[in-house]
Amino acid sequence: MKTLILIYIIKNTGYMLIIFTGAITSLEKEYKEAFLLDSNSNLIYAAKIVVPLIAPIIFFVVILSIINSFSMFREVYALYGNTPPNTAYLLQNFMNNNFYKLNYQRLSTAAFIVVVGISLLIIGFLKFQDKYLNH
């Protein structure tokens, strides 16, 4: 599992950093200048100004990262073949094995659970954003 986590980090860190860098550089300099009139802490500036302003970008990157985690099936297949060990057995392996066994009931149930899970995550973040970040 450590190998898969390392591969995932190597594959996805680059575009995440590019998206975050673009979001942070698009912030106007007046925010920092106005904040520096009251305080000189970069940590407080990041927590109180930068994070709320780029919260939609953070949300986008989190959802994109979750969706990209589903593409790890190819790496697991390349490393272990059709039957990976239990520590590397991913949802995609489960769905692929059920597809080959023609067990469409379990396959459709797993797909439905994935869709519901991602939908609940999106709804939860949107509610969090409305409650805490838009005031």
Side-chain angles (χ1 to χ4, degrees), residues 77-134:
Y77 188 79
L79 288 172
Y80 301 110
N82 281 336
T83 55
N86 286 339
T87 58
Y89 194 77
L90 301 174
L91 179 64
Q92 296 89 341
N93 296 101
F94 173 78
M95 294 175 88
N96 192 39
N97 291 340
N98 280 306
F99 180 74
Y100 283 135
K101 294 176 187 174
L102 302 176
N103 194 350
Y104 296 122
Q105 292 84 8
R106 290 178 78 185
L107 182 65
S108 63
T109 303
F112 180 75
I113 290 172
V114 168
V115 168
V116 167
I118 291 176
S119 299
L120 288 175
L121 181 72
I122 291 170
I123 291 168
F125 185 80
L126 290 175
K127 288 190 182 284
F128 173 80
Q129 186 178 4
D130 285 342
K131 187 173 184 179
Y132 295 108
L133 299 178
N134 287 338

Side-chain angles (χ1 to χ4, degrees), residues 35 41-53 133:
F35 183 80
S41 173
N42 285 331
L43 187 62
I44 296 173
Y45 171 72
K48 300 241 180 205
I49 306 296
V50 174
V51 171
L53 288 175
L133 299 178

